[in-house]
């Protein structure tokens, strides 16, 4: 009788351990297996030269339409995204700063890997270039020693991701300007860097 109880206890313990391992493995696999994660949803903006609007601030009586796949931000923040695929070449994100606070955050499947605000702008311009390690090394090799690049170069941990653009409207009268500031950001494949990499 004691042997039966001991076997039952071992079987129960083994079952609990196995269930725990399966549960942990399933939770860790969700980001890789998800078909509608943020990177996949953002890919619809890969062909756009300007951010895809995710949350536009209402400027009249009717609230602006919004996407639902990102958490709704502060109601005074306009949000857009630019997706990138570095197999096509480095991604250049260019923004002109103004009176409204602006931030850019680069994300991959594992989360954000770089963020910057308009406080880092040089002469009113903020230029980020997101590259693979090989593209970064090539860009460094192509740099002119007498005229160094002013770009902020960021090595992405993976080839695909997206950049979130946020602009804060401190006053209701600034909402239209915040929406326009999101749309004024340029997100393009850096053809010049791509061409130099092929030489």
């Amino acid at each position: 009788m004691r042997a039966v109880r001991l076997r039952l206890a071992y079987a129960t313990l083994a079952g609990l351990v196995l269930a725990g391992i399966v549960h942990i493995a399933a939770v860790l696999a969700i980001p890789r297996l998800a078909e509608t994660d943020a990177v996949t949803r953002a890919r619809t903006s890969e062909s756009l030269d300007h951010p895809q609007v995710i949350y536009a601030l209402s400027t009249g009586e009717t609230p602006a339409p919004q996407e639902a796949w990102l958490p709704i931000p502060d109601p005074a923040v306009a949000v857009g995204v630019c997706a990138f695929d570095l197999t096509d070449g480095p991604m250049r994100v260019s923004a002109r700063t103004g009176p409204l606070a602006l931030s850019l955050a680069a994300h991959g499947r594992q989360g954000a890997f770089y963020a910057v605000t308009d406080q880092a702008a040089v002469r009113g311009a903020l230029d980020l270039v997101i590259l693979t390690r090989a593209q970064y090394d090539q860009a460094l090799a192509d740099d002119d020693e007498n005229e160094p690049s002013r770009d902020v170069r960021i090595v992405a941990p993976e080839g695909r991701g997206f950049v979130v653009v946020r602009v804060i409207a401190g006053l209701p009268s600034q909402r239209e300007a915040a929406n326009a500031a999101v749309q004024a950001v340029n997100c393009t494949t850096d053809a010049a860097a791509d061409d130099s990499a092929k030489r």
Side-chain angles (χ1 to χ4, degrees), residues 25-137:
V27 169
L28 294 176
I30 287 172
R32 296 188 183 276
L33 300 176
E35 295 180 3
T36 56
D37 65 340
V39 173
T40 304
R41 286 180 178 254
R43 288 192 64 197
T44 58
S45 68
E46 278 182 9
S47 60
L48 304 177
D49 289 340
H50 300 283
Q52 173 188 356
V53 175
I54 298 301
Y55 185 78
L57 302 180
S58 60
T59 54
E61 295 179 6
T62 308
Q66 62 197 40
E67 293 284 340
W69 57 272
L70 279 180
I72 301 300
D74 183 300
V77 179
V79 181
V81 296
C82 294
F84 61 82
D85 183 350
L86 299 180
T87 58
D88 299 331
M91 166 73 145
R92 178 177 292 273
V93 182
S94 301
R96 298 293 299 175
T97 59
L100 304 181
L102 176 142
S103 71
L104 304 173
H107 295 255
R109 290 192 185 275
Q110 304 302 317
F113 60 87
Y114 188 85
V116 67
T117 70
D118 56 352
Q119 298 297 308
V122 177
R123 296 187 186 123
L126 198 56
D127 285 308
L128 304 182
V129 181
I130 302 171
L131 316 94
T132 63
R133 173 56 66 182
Q135 291 166 345
Y136 177 80
D137 292 341

